[in-house]
Amino acid sequence: MTNKLTWHGHATLGLETGGYKLVIDPFFEGNPAASLSPNKVEADFLLVSHGHGDHVGDAVSIAKRTGAMIISNYEIAGWFSEKGVEKTHGQHLGGGHKHPFGYLKLTLALHGSMLPDGSYGGNPCGFLLTTNDGKKFYFAQDTGLFGDMKLIGEEGLDVAVIPIGDNYTMGPDDAFRAIEMLQPRHVVPIHYNTWDLIAQDAENWSEKVKKLGVQVHVLKPGESFSL
């Protein structure tokens, strides 16, 4: 089975696995790096890591148009239900669930989570996904460096998706330390170059990371790689 990962700019990603289409943090409208308009997005499931507007993004409109289920923490899932989204699934940090596309666990993330209207957004999270063919993806999303990344790495990661933009998340140096702890086979940097404040030289960073024996995929918005 092929798993196709696409970066749509900022922290927005698509994953096609086992015939299912997932979109993580679907921020398209207002995203200067977006490779799609929200009305062109196809999804069976939407994963939302926290409540900030650049991650909640277009989840409501996409879910209503496509019938996709939104998966997030319990508080955010409830907020989406109040917005008229018919299918939601709430989880919490450390809790996993077997979805049709694989086993999804919510991981720790060091960040904030207030929703766009000021509502309480619970705890921010990352996603640890074991696909139905046994591949392990870690979507760190918005987070600072934390020592328990070593525990996540002990899962035996195929792919780690890591922010490198600094200011709001890990910068390049802490992201390098994260890769040392996670020890994935493949790495995709995200959450950089959307705006000048988080501009980074991903190619230069990737050359350093490659010395750890990791394959780094510096994607342009809309580009993909398959596993």
Side-chain angles (χ1 to χ4, degrees):
M1 184 172 78
T2 299
N3 298 277
K4 181 181 178 182
L5 182 67
T6 303
W7 185 46
H8 293 295
H10 200 53
T12 303
L13 301 120
L15 178 64
E16 296 180 30
T17 179
Y20 296 99
K21 294 181 179 180
L22 284 62
V23 179
I24 299 96
D25 289 340
F27 173 46
F28 295 93
E29 189 70 36
N31 175 1
S35 58
L36 280 178
S37 61
N39 62 353
K40 299 292 186 182
V41 176
E42 297 180 3
D44 300 301
F45 297 89
L46 302 170
L47 279 56
V48 177
S49 65
H50 64 285
H52 292 165
D54 58 331
H55 294 259
V56 169
D58 306 286
V60 172
S61 64
I62 294 171
K64 289 182 177 180
R65 177 176 56 81
T66 63
M69 173 180 282
I70 298 181
I71 302 170
S72 190
N73 70 32
Y74 184 81
E75 290 83 2
I76 293 176
W79 184 82
F80 279 122
S81 294
E82 293 175 356
K83 298 295 182 183
V85 176
E86 292 187 0
K87 294 188 291 185
T88 65
H89 183 95
Q91 296 182 213
H92 257 309
L93 300 184
H97 182 77
K98 181 63 173 71
H99 295 278
F101 55 83
Y103 184 78
L104 183 71
K105 183 185 289 186
L106 270 57
T107 67
L108 176 68
L110 299 182
H111 201 59
S113 190
M114 184 174 69
L115 286 154
D117 62 3
S119 298
Y120 174 61
N123 293 313
C125 72
F127 300 105
L128 178 61
L129 171 62
T130 305
T131 63
N132 290 328
D133 64 344
K135 297 292 188 295
K136 286 188 180 286
F137 289 79
Y138 171 49
F139 299 93
Q141 301 311 100
D142 282 20
T143 187
L145 182 69
F146 57 92
D148 283 355
M149 285 183 172
K150 187 173 186 297
L151 296 178
I152 297 172
E154 289 174 0
E155 295 273 350
L157 301 176
D158 292 290
V159 179
V161 176
I162 298 292
I164 67 168
D166 218 353
N167 196 76
Y168 300 114
T169 68
M170 291 186 290
D173 291 342
D174 278 356
F176 181 89
R177 294 177 67 193
I179 298 304
E180 288 181 308
M181 287 190 281
L182 293 166
Q183 299 185 1
R185 292 173 52 218
H186 301 265
V187 171
V188 176
I190 62 165
H191 207 284
Y192 70 97
N193 287 359
T194 319
W195 300 284
D196 289 344
L197 186 60
I198 56 172
Q200 299 294 342
D201 185 343
E203 292 290 352
N204 181 61
W205 178 80
S206 72
E207 291 304 313
K208 296 177 182 178
V209 174
K210 287 175 184 177
K211 294 177 182 178
L212 298 174
V214 178
Q215 296 184 56
V216 184
H217 305 267
V218 178
L219 304 175
K220 296 178 181 177
E223 287 187 340
S224 308
F225 93 94
S226 296
L227 185 67

